[in-house]
Amino acid sequence: MRHLLFGPLLRILPVGCLALAIQRMVFADHPVLDVKLQFVLALVVAAGVGGGSDRGAVAGFVLGLLYDLSGNTPLGLMALAYGLGGMTAGYVQSLTPDPQWWLVMIFAAIGAAVGEVAVPLGEAITGESGWIGRELVVIVPVVAAAAAVLTLPLVPVGRWMMGVKRKKWKAIPE
Amino acid sequence: MFLSLSRRRVILLVVLTCLLLVTLDKRGNPFIDRTRSAFGVVLRPFDAAVNAVALPIERAWNGIADYDDLERENEVLRDQVERMKGSEIEAQSTILEYRELLKLTQLTSRYTFETVEAQVVGDSPSNFQNTVEINVGSNFGVAVGMPVTDGAGLIGRITKVFTDHSIVLLLTDPEYAVSAQVLSTQDQIDAELPPTTSPGDTTPSGIPVENLGTTTTTSTTLAPDPLAPIDPNTTTSAPATSTSTTTTEVEVVRETGTLEGQGAERPLLLRFVDTSSSITSIKVGAIVSTAGGNNSLAPQGIPIGTITRIISQSGSSTPLVEVTPNASLKRLNFVAVVLYMPNNEAVGR
């Protein structure tokens, strides 16, 4: 537990701040189909698929806390939602230790969808606006698809951030 | 089994910590507020660095892709400005008269309060919050609950204040609600109502037409040309000087209700307080502004928008009224915070 929290923390914080700045300055201003793509969530699921569900949960927790601190959401809400997203995406490591790219994309999309749905659900539970409406039908698939695409280049960043070394071996020898 | 013991511990710890933090923050914690404020300072160089890289790329792309559209828009806006110059002078004189009247009657309105100019520096990064960040905070006297306007009308209220920046909740957010009034003159209504109504006629909700709640205001105007034809509906008061004063009776229908946001890209929804009054006579195009009052989040008279749709509900005499805000909430740049402090009950503290 200790190595999980304190080892990568020094890397998560600057990477997280940079990801958050990219989210606020680039992705928040350029919505696709009126949906703001979630770069920080993509980084969380990338950490999850690269390092497993426990590392995904920790990455989601820390990056979500940074998100909460920068915005208007109650502290811990995005941390919980992104933690769930990172954990879900990390299950790919339980299926196979060396997942193919398409499997990475599928789990990244599922993780991102879980993370994004958890936000309004959490808001509703904590007495915030609880904006659960038909918007979700558009928002969730768009965010999930974008996260699936963004995850591929972000997996090495996520691995480095969480201190996961790339495996030297292959599950199926070539 | 997907989760080993250590994994389960990590995930349980994460969930419990989140719940604890949410509880602490919801109850209001000064340490968390200070951390938020400090993190805003930490994040600033990162924002500046990303902006420095992204902005030239964005501008170059816009220059290539949107040049023609911008040129066309520029022309349309120039035309619009020219047309508005005339009505602005007229509006200014009306505002002056209105302020004078408020002073005489000792009423408060938005003109009674100072404003602080601000610039929008950031949009909410989340899909589930309609907020913007502005570059003034407590150092300019900004406080939670204060209304924020732009040139066109109300845009929202302050929900979080830091030393040098604040968060504004936009009026389209489902969490936003403000007391509002619909003002329409009787002639505006008559133009759309059936030509005659006889005593005993009722509205669709069963209310006698003669009982409709109306407010009568009297506007006094100076007749610029004494030779101008006299309107038979006007009465002439005896002037002390050589200038004649004509008094025209204008019947104004005023209805109050609560205006609520329904989410970005959706119109605002107006719910009337008195469901049995003259709401049936309110028509599309009527102006909606803040109603003011002791428990209101905004002083009286800030324009909000216009009624764009009235939907009758089956099984209810009260129609749903949709209002489109005047302000273009997607293109906010310069705004003004009205230094009006609503009472704690209205702010929800």
Side-chain angles (χ1 to χ4, degrees):
Chain A
M1 182 99 74
R2 215 178 156 78
H3 73 279
L4 262 178
L5 281 173
F6 298 103
L9 203 61
L10 280 176
R11 287 183 239 185
I12 291 186
L13 290 178
V15 173
C17 285
L18 192 63
L20 203 54
I22 292 172
Q23 175 67 44
R24 282 156 54 94
M25 295 292 134
V26 181
F27 288 92
D29 289 343
H30 300 92
V32 176
L33 300 172
D34 279 331
V35 176
K36 291 168 187 166
L37 307 182
Q38 299 297 311
F39 185 73
V40 180
L41 184 58
L43 184 62
V44 167
V45 293
V49 293
S53 38
D54 45 356
R55 285 191 176 89
V58 172
F61 173 72
V62 178
L63 294 178
L65 272 188
L66 298 183
Y67 204 121
D68 286 327
L69 282 174
S70 74
N72 202 26
T73 46
L75 190 68
L77 185 74
M78 295 300 261
L80 185 61
Y82 282 13
L84 284 173
M87 187 189 78
T88 310
Y91 278 141
V92 72
Q93 289 282 338
S94 305
L95 288 180
T96 166
D98 188 24
Q100 288 96 336
W101 64 269
W102 53 269
L103 204 54
V104 166
M105 282 181 79
I106 290 172
F107 271 81
I110 296 170
V114 168
E116 193 68 358
V117 168
V119 177
L121 270 176
E123 281 182 344
I125 291 166
T126 56
E128 296 286 305
S129 58
W131 192 13
I132 308 168
R134 58 173 185 252
E135 293 85 358
L136 276 180
V137 180
V138 181
I139 291 171
V140 174
V142 173
V143 169
V149 175
L150 286 168
T151 294
L152 292 177
L154 285 177
V155 167
V157 181
R159 276 209 192 100
W160 177 80
M161 189 175 75
M162 298 307 293
V164 182
K165 290 201 169 62
R166 196 180 166 78
K167 292 177 184 74
K168 294 275 190 288
W169 50 270
K170 288 270 171 191
I172 303 162
E174 286 165 1
Chain B
M1 184 72 188
F2 276 129
L3 297 173
S4 67
L5 190 66
S6 79
R7 269 188 196 176
R8 262 184 270 173
R9 264 194 221 145
V10 169
I11 290 159
L12 194 70
L13 186 73
V14 164
V15 171
L16 289 177
T17 314
C18 288
L19 293 177
L20 178 74
L21 287 171
V22 169
T23 313
L24 281 175
D25 195 19
K26 290 290 281 180
R27 291 169 72 93
N29 188 307
F31 176 72
I32 293 174
D33 292 342
R34 275 200 295 275
T35 313
R36 266 209 169 98
S37 203
F39 187 67
V41 178
V42 171
L43 206 59
R44 212 167 295 153
F46 287 95
D47 282 350
V50 170
N51 225 2
V53 175
L55 210 59
I57 299 169
E58 189 187 329
R59 281 182 181 158
W61 174 253
N62 286 344
I64 296 163
D66 300 336
Y67 182 80
D68 291 339
D69 288 343
L70 283 175
E71 214 172 41
R72 222 169 297 131
E73 193 184 344
N74 198 358
E75 273 174 30
V76 172
L77 288 174
R78 275 172 200 277
D79 280 351
Q80 224 169 356
V81 168
E82 287 303 315
R83 265 182 275 128
M84 284 171 76
K85 272 180 190 168
S87 46
E88 193 198 340
I89 296 162
E90 202 180 328
Q92 268 174 357
S93 67
T94 315
I95 287 170
L96 284 173
E97 279 177 23
Y98 173 59
R99 290 171 84 162
E100 210 170 315
L101 279 170
L102 286 171
K103 212 173 172 183
L104 283 171
T105 50
Q106 293 181 328
L107 288 171
T108 56
S109 86
R110 64 172 175 141
Y111 302 108
T112 324
F113 302 94
E114 298 273 311
T115 56
V116 173
E117 299 294 319
Q119 192 174 8
V120 174
V121 287
D123 200 356
S124 163
S126 166
N127 283 308
F128 303 103
Q129 286 202 320
N130 292 306
T131 56
V132 289
E133 194 180 322
I134 55 171
N135 67 348
V136 292
S138 54
N139 51 359
F140 281 89
V142 174
V144 172
M146 286 180 171
V148 184
T149 65
D150 77 344
L154 188 72
I155 65 156
R157 72 176 158 96
I158 303 280
T159 50
K160 273 205 167 72
V161 179
F162 304 97
T163 319
D164 57 354
H165 67 283
S166 314
I167 306 286
V168 181
L169 183 76
L170 298 180
L171 48 80
T172 47
D173 193 282
E175 227 179 300
Y176 190 92
V178 68
S179 59
Q181 60 184 9
V182 183
L183 292 175
S184 46
T185 51
Q186 196 58 48
D187 54 348
Q188 196 181 353
I189 294 160
D190 287 344
E192 300 190 45
L193 278 176
T196 51
T197 50
S198 55
D201 276 358
T202 57
T203 63
S205 54
I207 308 300
V209 170
E210 55 268 32
N211 289 357
L212 290 177
T214 60
T215 311
T216 306
T217 61
T218 306
S219 76
T220 308
T221 51
L222 287 173
D225 181 8
L227 298 173
I230 297 163
D231 188 335
N233 293 331
T234 61
T235 54
T236 308
S237 59
T241 61
S242 59
T243 322
S244 70
T245 306
T246 58
T247 307
T248 315
E249 280 220 335
V250 182
E251 252 191 323
V252 176
V253 176
R254 183 198 300 265
E255 278 304 326
T256 53
T258 309
L259 196 73
E260 294 164 3
Q262 296 194 94
E265 308 295 315
R266 283 201 189 172
L268 310 165
L269 198 66
L270 184 63
R271 295 179 196 281
F272 291 103
V273 173
D274 183 5
T275 54
S276 61
S277 56
S278 59
I279 49 170
T280 45
S281 60
I282 283 166
K283 299 289 169 191
V284 168
I287 296 160
V288 181
S289 60
T290 52
N294 284 343
N295 288 328
S296 179
L297 282 166
Q300 194 190 13
I302 300 178
I304 299 173
T306 48
I307 293 177
T308 45
R309 201 166 160 217
I310 298 169
I311 314 151
S312 51
Q313 301 181 90
S314 56
S316 170
S317 60
T318 321
L320 285 175
V321 175
E322 287 185 352
V323 176
T324 302
N326 280 347
S328 174
L329 300 174
K330 267 190 157 184
R331 291 173 144 201
L332 293 171
N333 192 6
F334 290 100
V335 295
V337 182
V338 183
L339 298 182
Y340 161 84
M341 196 60 233
N343 66 29
N344 286 354
E345 203 182 312
V347 178
R349 288 186 300 192

